Amino acid sequence: MTVHSAKIDSHRGETVPTVISASFIISAITAFSELHELVLPEFLAQAGHYQFLTNIALCLSTLYFAVNFLYHYTTWPLVYRIKVYLSAVCLSLNFVVSIVYWSLKFLVPALIMTKNETIPLFLDIKIHALPLLATATDYFAYMDRWDLSYATGYLFVSILSGLYWFWLEYLIQDGASYPYPFLNVERNLRIVIFLIVSLIAFGAFCLGKLLHPQFIPELEKAEEDLKKEE
């Protein structure tokens, strides 16, 4: 067996990550259903629900957990590679969504939501907290450390930022509002905001790489201590 195939099999078939994956997919399905029942304000309605980075991140996270579930029941190396890339993308993206949303909601709510916008509490948690919690738990506890370089991580973050920029440019017509109030600024300042947010996402990727080697040995040691006590 090669080193690469051994790495693929290191967490394959474990029960907890498959339960996390299935549970998240069910939660996401209910969240999508609730999202489409929400009536957007008139100035946002034309661009639809998928102008929001939150909802895009939820789509990608759902795809990730579908791949993750499949990974534990297949022997296809390609599934593992897709899983690694999606894990890195989703964890970084969900970190941005959660950090930006909750910090602005509690500190400067006018920058993240208009005055009359409301989101039911459980839906709020499903789309703004649970994706980060689920992807972080899966990565730190049930995955090997990403074998992706920092340059690759930065490239992915840059591509995603660019794609989201052009997606909004496509959806938002002249004079229309952007999905988040803090983006309703002149173009150059909006570019700066995108750069800052992309750096936050890259920072999340770096943290994932740096913290993972410290977390897993502690988890393994705790498991060994527990076995000794038994």
Side-chain angles (χ1 to χ4, degrees):
M1 180 180 290
T2 65
V3 174
H4 184 64
S5 61
K7 187 173 185 179
I8 291 176
D9 291 337
S10 59
H11 291 280
R12 187 189 303 279
E14 294 183 359
T15 301
V16 175
T18 59
V19 171
I20 292 174
S21 298
S23 300
F24 183 87
I25 291 170
I26 293 171
S27 173
I29 290 172
T30 63
F32 284 125
S33 176
E34 293 173 50
L35 279 170
H36 286 284
E37 291 177 0
L38 290 179
V39 179
L40 293 175
E42 185 177 346
F43 59 89
L44 294 175
Q46 185 171 355
H49 288 283
Y50 295 98
Q51 64 185 301
F52 297 97
L53 185 62
T54 298
N55 298 343
I56 295 172
L58 184 63
C59 289
L60 288 174
S61 297
T62 305
L63 175 62
Y64 167 71
F65 281 109
V67 171
N68 191 39
F69 188 89
L70 179 64
Y71 160 75
H72 288 280
Y73 295 100
T74 66
T75 57
W76 301 338
L78 179 60
V79 176
Y80 172 75
R81 297 312 306 164
I82 294 173
K83 166 184 162 69
V84 171
Y85 283 109
L86 279 176
S87 172
V89 167
C90 289
L91 183 53
S92 303
L93 194 55
N94 288 330
F95 182 85
V96 167
V97 168
S98 293
I99 291 298
V100 172
Y101 177 79
W102 292 109
S103 60
L104 290 182
K105 182 173 183 177
F106 287 115
L107 298 176
V108 196
L111 290 181
I112 196 68
M113 299 179 71
T114 58
K115 187 176 181 180
N116 296 323
E117 279 186 275
T118 57
I119 301 177
L121 177 60
F122 286 112
L123 177 59
D124 211 4
I125 293 172
K126 285 179 186 178
I127 63 178
H128 291 121
L130 189 58
L132 176 60
L133 178 62
T135 49
T137 300
D138 181 74
Y139 171 62
F140 285 110
Y142 300 104
M143 274 188 71
D144 294 330
R145 185 173 181 257
W146 299 320
D147 56 347
L148 306 174
S149 68
Y150 291 102
T152 299
Y154 185 75
L155 177 63
F156 268 85
V157 165
S158 300
I159 291 173
L160 287 172
S161 298
L163 288 175
Y164 187 53
W165 173 276
F166 288 113
W167 177 240
L168 289 183
E169 290 294 300
Y170 169 74
L171 291 177
I172 309 299
Q173 297 183 354
D174 292 339
S177 293
Y178 279 79
Y180 304 107
F182 66 83
L183 291 178
N184 288 316
V185 293
E186 62 98 14
R187 185 183 180 89
N188 288 339
L189 183 53
R190 193 158 55 249
I191 291 173
V192 172
I193 292 172
F194 265 72
L195 289 174
I196 292 172
V197 171
S198 67
L199 288 176
I200 294 173
F202 179 60
F205 174 83
C206 294
L207 282 175
K209 294 269 290 181
L210 293 171
L211 295 179
H212 190 280
Q214 299 170 2
F215 185 89
I216 291 299
E218 292 176 2
L219 182 64
E220 292 173 343
K221 184 177 184 302
E223 290 176 346
E224 291 175 359
D225 292 342
L226 183 61
K227 289 179 181 178
K228 290 178 181 178
E229 291 176 3
E230 293 175 349

